[in-house]
Amino acid sequence: MRKLYRNTAIVTAVFVLALASMLGVSYYQMQHVSPLESEVMETLKALNESNDENQKLQQQIRQLDLLSRKAYFVQEGQLKTGIYLLVGMVTVLVACLALYYKDTKNLPEKELDPIDEWMTKSHARKYLSWAAGAAALVGIAVFIFQSVGTKALTAQSDDVEDKSEMPQEGTEAVQDSLQEIALAQADSLKAASKREQSGNFSSYAEQKQARPKVKADSTIIVKIDSAKVVETDTAVVAEELPELKIASKAFRGNNSSGTSSARGIATSWNLKSKKNILWQSTVPKHGYNSPVITGHNVFITGADEQARELYCFDVWTGELKWTVKADGISGSPSSMPKVNDDTGLAASTVATNGSEVAAIFATGDVICANMDGKRLWAKNIGLPDNHYGYASSLLMFGNILIIQYQNNSDARILALNTKNGNQIWSKATKDKIAWSSPIIAKLGGKSTLVVMGNPAIAAYNPGDGAELWRVDCMSGEVGSSPASADGLVFGASEYATCIAIDGATGETLWEASDYLPECSSLAATKDFVFCATSYGMVCAYDAKTGEVKKEHDLTTPFYSSPVVVDGKVYLFSNSGKVYIFKSSTFDLITSFETGEKTFATPAFTDGMMIVRTDESLYCVKREK
């Protein structure tokens, strides 16, 4: 058996040394053929600068840059696989040596064969140990330097907005020319990256303007020198991906309704295997607010003791496009208010009208920016007197920003101009502190503002704040938000009631108390009202009678709210488990774990869902 260990150790040692040498050579070569460093690049850079109006040239350079990067990353993946193999073989070598020498001291005296005699000599053992250690260090060093290089290259590669497939290979002559031209754009990208890092770009729009434009289906002519011209027909995907038609402009969708007209939403995904995951991004600062979508933009906020920030991510790539800070605001508190860990400093979801986006924080600071990340205005509306922390989400109605500001003192509803932050109207209320968010409902043929608090659900004219009706029915700590469907208004809160109100008259139609939510808000259709509790029970009330039509004991708490979309009800538990029900019957279709705690409510758009977890922001898109 010892001879087996010995022979295995010898073969493994030779393999380790050979593989380490090959990896070293491969790494060295990669550093000298990086798409960011090439003699050809300088020539093409000059050509690019002297033909800055030639869009066809720009198109070719851009596509070939992506082709070069793709080849580079394939080689990088092979290198990484080799490193893993090297580490595995070093482990085998160490194990074989340990087993070979395990009983050496207990062996009887006998004549050793030459190899065994060499293996047992102390100096030889040291040499083997040193060789194995050196090989391992080489592998680790290559891995570290290669990872650092990859990150740098990836950071610059992210500036390329075109995420399309690479062009198909053509003739050998064309391929040779492609390889010669492939790296030209990298230099300009490198310069752009340096400008971004140094802050010379004030917005994502300026970054885009600095990048080459791409049009679709072009005939490309690229001159390598005065004597050589390569011409080929290539389908080039446009720089801009399709503008999404379905928006989600506030907490729980447009008008904060808890419904979406999006279609084609995936019913299964996996964050680890990336099944149906278009992208996953980290968020600079923590927050419990939900994502909001309009156009190509996804908005969320984050905050800590040092800063409060509004973020804009690209809906197609997950790239952080810009950040706007809530700083330098007159009247803003010098120290952060005390808030509950379950609320934090950024619990309120932003709102947008497609032109402006506004955010509010637990400090009472409100900021508003345009779609390019320029801060339009900022103001402090007063430090919230709130023992958990401010959590009501914003809502926009045209150019009116609506803020439900119900605290222990000075409870009111504010309407500000989205263009300049000027007050349009303010409505003082007798309601106590609440954490609910307003909605816009279609009642009696008119768009109506509905606000739920303690002790009332009330309807207002969003244009001037005039109260239309008021129903005293709530009590306790109201954190859930109302819902509306088919001209009816529904509200519910733990230790109070679930109620249905005629939206035209304010008449109470029915009340029920079977299941009541704590934080999760209601969602409604013309047939059902969906409710999720903090103790694991979920149910569907009959929208006309209040009778419980279907219930499920899921034994897990829910803070996220149900959303009705594509004939289904999507619901996330606090642990991140997804439950998908059929909206017409409330039968459970499927459920599965995502692995990341989820307290926010997802946002939906054309065939896509954006989810904010306790750890990240990700996009679900069904594979075709």
Side-chain angles (χ1 to χ4, degrees):
M1 196 67 180
R2 293 183 71 244
K3 287 187 176 182
L4 176 61
Y5 295 143
R6 177 199 69 186
N7 295 337
T8 303
I10 293 173
V11 173
T12 304
V14 173
F15 182 86
V16 165
L17 293 173
L19 182 58
S21 301
M22 293 171 61
L23 290 176
V25 171
S26 179
Y27 174 73
Y28 177 80
Q29 290 177 341
M30 285 188 66
Q31 299 310 298
H32 288 75
V33 297
S34 168
L36 299 182
E37 298 178 3
S38 170
E39 294 180 1
V40 178
M41 182 188 303
E42 296 301 324
T43 302
L44 292 178
K45 177 185 176 183
L47 179 63
N48 184 36
E49 291 176 351
S50 63
N51 294 271
D52 55 355
E53 300 299 325
N54 189 335
Q55 291 189 358
K56 294 181 179 180
L57 174 62
Q58 299 282 0
Q59 295 164 7
Q60 182 76 339
I61 290 174
R62 187 179 183 85
Q63 286 299 311
L64 298 176
D65 170 66
L66 294 177
L67 180 63
S68 175
R69 291 173 184 274
K70 180 179 180 181
Y72 180 89
F73 285 120
V74 168
Q75 186 177 1
E76 174 258 327
Q78 294 172 347
L79 180 60
K80 185 178 294 185
T81 301
I83 292 171
Y84 292 146
L85 184 60
L86 177 63
V87 173
M89 296 308 297
V90 170
T91 303
V92 172
L93 175 60
V94 172
C96 289
L97 289 174
L99 292 171
Y100 180 81
Y101 291 111
K102 179 179 180 183
D103 298 321
T104 299
K105 294 182 179 180
N106 301 323
L107 291 175
E109 292 291 335
K110 68 174 185 177
E111 184 177 351
L112 299 176
D113 65 33
I115 294 179
D116 280 339
E117 184 176 7
W118 178 79
M119 291 287 286
T120 54
K121 291 196 179 288
S122 59
H123 288 297
R125 291 197 299 268
K126 289 182 181 179
Y127 295 152
L128 279 176
S129 299
W130 292 345
L137 289 175
V138 169
I140 293 172
V142 170
F143 179 78
I144 292 173
F145 287 119
Q146 174 264 336
S147 297
V148 171
T150 299
K151 289 180 180 178
L153 183 59
T154 302
Q156 297 188 36
S157 178
D158 286 343
D159 284 338
V160 182
E161 288 186 340
D162 194 332
K163 305 297 180 182
S164 60
E165 294 181 358
M166 306 308 302
Q168 297 296 319
E169 296 182 357
T171 65
E172 291 185 4
V174 172
Q175 293 179 43
D176 292 340
S177 299
L178 296 182
Q179 293 174 1
E180 292 178 3
I181 308 170
L183 311 180
Q185 186 61 21
D187 190 85
S188 58
L189 290 175
K190 190 174 184 179
S193 178
K194 289 181 179 178
R195 288 185 61 196
E196 291 176 31
Q197 294 173 8
S198 63
N200 291 336
F201 283 126
S202 63
S203 70
Y204 181 75
E206 291 185 15
Q207 297 174 29
K208 286 176 63 179
Q209 188 175 3
R211 296 170 182 164
K213 303 298 181 182
V214 179
K215 293 185 178 180
D217 299 327
S218 301
T219 299
I220 302 168
I221 302 176
V222 179
K223 292 186 178 181
I224 304 300
D225 52 42
S226 59
K228 185 176 182 180
V229 177
V230 178
E231 181 173 346
T232 179
D233 292 328
T234 306
V236 182
V237 177
E239 177 192 32
E240 296 293 343
L241 287 162
E243 188 80 14
L244 299 175
K245 297 179 181 179
I246 304 299
S248 181
K249 296 182 177 180
F251 172 55
R252 302 189 301 144
N254 294 336
N255 298 321
S256 295
S257 62
T259 62
S260 173
S261 58
R263 295 291 182 267
I265 307 300
T267 55
S268 66
W269 59 91
N270 189 299
L271 288 174
K272 290 184 178 180
S273 68
K274 302 306 178 185
K275 173 189 175 183
N276 287 335
I277 300 298
L278 183 61
W279 51 261
Q280 184 172 18
S281 301
T282 57
V283 180
K285 294 186 184 298
H286 189 265
Y288 289 110
N289 54 90
S290 301
V292 162
I293 307 169
T294 185
H296 283 253
N297 302 324
V298 177
F299 301 107
I300 57 172
T301 65
D304 56 22
E305 294 290 330
Q306 286 70 47
R308 277 72 58 209
E309 297 176 334
L310 166 64
Y311 306 116
C312 176
F313 291 82
D314 188 281
V315 72
W316 286 104
T317 67
E319 173 191 7
L320 178 58
K321 298 167 67 173
W322 51 256
T323 299
V324 173
K325 293 186 176 182
D327 58 4
I329 302 173
S330 177
S332 182
S334 57
S335 60
M336 294 300 101
K338 293 183 179 179
V339 295
N340 189 284
D341 289 340
D342 289 340
T343 306
L345 296 168
S348 305
T349 298
V350 309
T352 182
N353 57 10
S355 298
E356 296 88 34
V357 56
I360 188 170
F361 300 92
T363 54
D365 292 325
V366 184
I367 60 174
C368 187
N370 63 19
M371 296 296 101
D372 292 327
K374 178 184 178 181
R375 198 171 92 172
L376 302 176
W377 55 267
K379 66 190 308 179
N380 184 275
I381 59 174
L383 181 65
D385 181 8
N386 195 309
H387 55 282
Y388 290 138
Y390 185 77
S392 297
S393 294
L394 300 178
L395 185 62
M396 284 192 185
F397 180 71
N399 67 338
I400 301 175
L401 173 64
I402 298 170
I403 306 173
Q404 183 175 347
Y405 211 64
Q406 294 176 333
N407 299 288
N408 281 322
S409 58
D410 193 23
R412 65 193 190 277
I413 304 169
L414 283 172
L416 306 180
N417 189 310
T418 62
K419 303 295 182 183
N420 51 34
N422 294 339
Q423 181 176 297
I424 298 175
W425 56 262
S426 178
K427 182 75 174 181
T429 69
K430 298 179 181 180
D431 297 270
K432 301 177 182 178
I433 187 172
W435 296 263
S436 180
S437 300
I439 69 170
I440 294 290
K442 202 73 170 179
L443 305 177
K446 297 180 179 180
S447 295
T448 305
L449 173 65
V450 178
V451 176
M452 186 169 80
N454 178 7
I457 299 177
Y460 301 89
N461 182 329
D464 58 14
E467 185 176 286
L468 304 178
W469 50 258
R470 178 182 176 92
V471 178
D472 289 347
C473 54
M474 294 289 118
S475 62
E477 297 180 329
V478 179
S480 176
S481 301
S484 179
D486 201 27
L488 305 183
V489 173
F490 307 96
S493 182
E494 201 169 41
Y495 308 116
T497 187
C498 181
I499 189 171
I501 302 171
D502 186 320
T505 64
E507 177 188 1
T508 298
L509 302 179
W510 55 260
E511 289 190 60
S513 56
D514 301 78
Y515 303 109
L516 301 172
E518 178 187 5
C519 298
S520 179
S521 300
L522 301 178
T525 65
K526 64 182 182 63
D527 298 314
F528 295 112
V529 180
F530 304 105
C531 172
T533 71
S534 60
Y535 48 89
M537 292 297 298
V538 297
C539 78
Y541 288 103
D542 187 296
K544 300 298 189 291
T545 66
E547 177 187 359
V548 175
K549 304 299 290 186
K550 186 67 68 71
E551 62 188 46
H552 301 275
D553 186 359
L554 303 179
T555 66
T556 183
F558 295 91
Y559 284 1
S560 177
S561 301
V563 179
V564 181
V565 55
D566 199 15
K568 307 172 187 68
V569 179
Y570 284 75
L571 179 63
F572 284 76
S573 74
N574 291 4
S575 67
K577 189 170 184 178
V578 181
Y579 296 89
I580 303 176
F581 306 88
K582 191 174 182 180
S583 62
S584 60
T585 61
F586 204 55
D587 291 326
L588 182 64
I589 298 173
T590 186
S591 64
F592 53 91
E593 294 282 0
T594 64
E596 294 191 9
K597 293 181 179 180
T598 306
F599 304 100
T601 300
F604 298 84
T605 183
D606 304 335
M608 300 158 68
M609 171 173 53
I610 309 296
V611 183
R612 184 184 192 160
T613 75
D614 203 37
E615 303 173 28
S616 67
L617 182 73
Y618 67 87
C619 177
V620 177
K621 189 176 190 302
R622 188 166 58 188
E623 297 173 353
K624 292 183 179 179

